[in-house]
Amino acid sequence: MPQFEAMTLSALGQRNHDYGRIRMWGSIGFLIVAGSYGWLLDRLGNDAFVWLTLPWLLLTVAASWLHRGDRPLPALVSDVPRQALWRRPGVRRLLLVAMLMQLGFGPFYVFFTLHLQAQGHDGFAVGLLWAIGVLCEILMFWQAPRLVQRFGAQRLMTACLVATALRWVMVALLGGSFAWMALAQTGHALSFAAFHAGCMRRMAELFPERRDMAAAQGMLYGFSGGIGGVTGAGIAAVGWQHGGGHLAFLLGAAVAVMALLMHVVPVRALRPQAAA
């Protein structure tokens, strides 16, 4: 994924704000599965999951095979040390915010379906709720270029962090209501799609040199999907063990608030004051 993101941004060049309209197609695939597999598994049983998944994996291999002859652009090879990229102003803050955001998603990725089932929703309802979230994600990816250009990545990401904190509180406290969960799932447009588009825009702003983009994307995914993803799953498991979905998603909301503070508080306010 880091390599794919870097190749995409490199190909777009100055049109990096159009990234969302390419990423949208991954969401369409997810929407097809989320909208149908809950119903299918209710009728065929969970043992059918592997056989229902294999055709998509084979199609992925076929799509990748079409690009087997592609050659990397020389511009994507960077001779800049990772330490130099890490020290650029604004980079560490962006990486930490992305890490915390992904960490807060831990309960959602691991326990959202189980939480909904524990609240009495059947497989069709769970699949429909996932589909609502992804449909909103697709629509946001399509509109993201306009929003990024109009409001800028920083302000857009601030709105996303606020919406995410409210979303996890809603899931924690109102999980038994399909209507409230449907409303919470519309928040995926901001929590995932707009935030992701904002991060990609910030990466393009912080690393305008194409040769540095692949290494920078590797750092972003290492912090977000790597550290944030694994740690978020672990914290979510602890919350689930001691308080079920209520505690797990409240912890996710608390982490989202931490990410918001990291994003909006000025750097000078985070530094210890020098002694008088």
Side-chain angles (χ1 to χ4, degrees), residues 2-13 16 18-19 22-23:
Q3 299 304 318
F4 182 77
E5 302 279 12
M7 291 166 63
T8 302
L9 289 171
S10 177
L12 287 171
N16 55 69
D18 284 333
Y19 164 84
I22 295 177
R23 177 59 180 80

Side-chain angles (χ1 to χ4, degrees), residues 19-31 34 105 108-109 129-145 147 167 184-197:
Y19 164 84
R21 292 180 180 174
I22 295 177
R23 177 59 180 80
M24 173 189 73
W25 291 95
S27 303
I28 291 175
F30 193 97
L31 175 63
F105 260 85
F108 180 72
Y109 287 141
L129 286 170
W130 276 101
I132 290 171
V134 181
L135 179 60
C136 294
E137 171 188 319
I138 292 170
L139 295 174
M140 177 56 75
F141 270 131
W142 185 256
Q143 293 297 321
L147 295 177
R167 178 188 181 190
Q185 281 297 85
T186 64
H188 205 59
L190 290 172
S191 300
F192 181 80
F195 184 82
H196 192 62

Side-chain angles (χ1 to χ4, degrees), residues 16-17 143-154 156 193-194 196-202 205:
N16 55 69
H17 54 273
Q143 293 297 321
R146 298 178 184 176
L147 295 177
V148 169
Q149 287 185 307
R150 179 173 180 180
F151 298 106
Q154 290 290 98
L156 183 61
H196 192 62
C199 280
M200 291 301 102
R201 178 57 177 263
R202 285 292 295 140
E205 292 171 352

Side-chain angles (χ1 to χ4, degrees), residues 96-107 160-162 164-166 168-169 195 224 227-229 231-236 247-263:
L96 291 174
V97 169
M99 181 193 74
L100 289 171
M101 182 62 139
Q102 191 71 18
L103 195 155
F105 260 85
C160 294
L161 291 164
V162 172
T164 301
L166 294 174
W168 299 151
V169 171
F195 184 82
S224 59
I227 299 174
T231 307
I235 292 176
L247 180 57
F249 280 96
L250 287 176
L251 289 174
V255 174
V257 172
M258 291 172 58
L260 174 64
L261 294 175
M262 175 66 68
H263 181 67

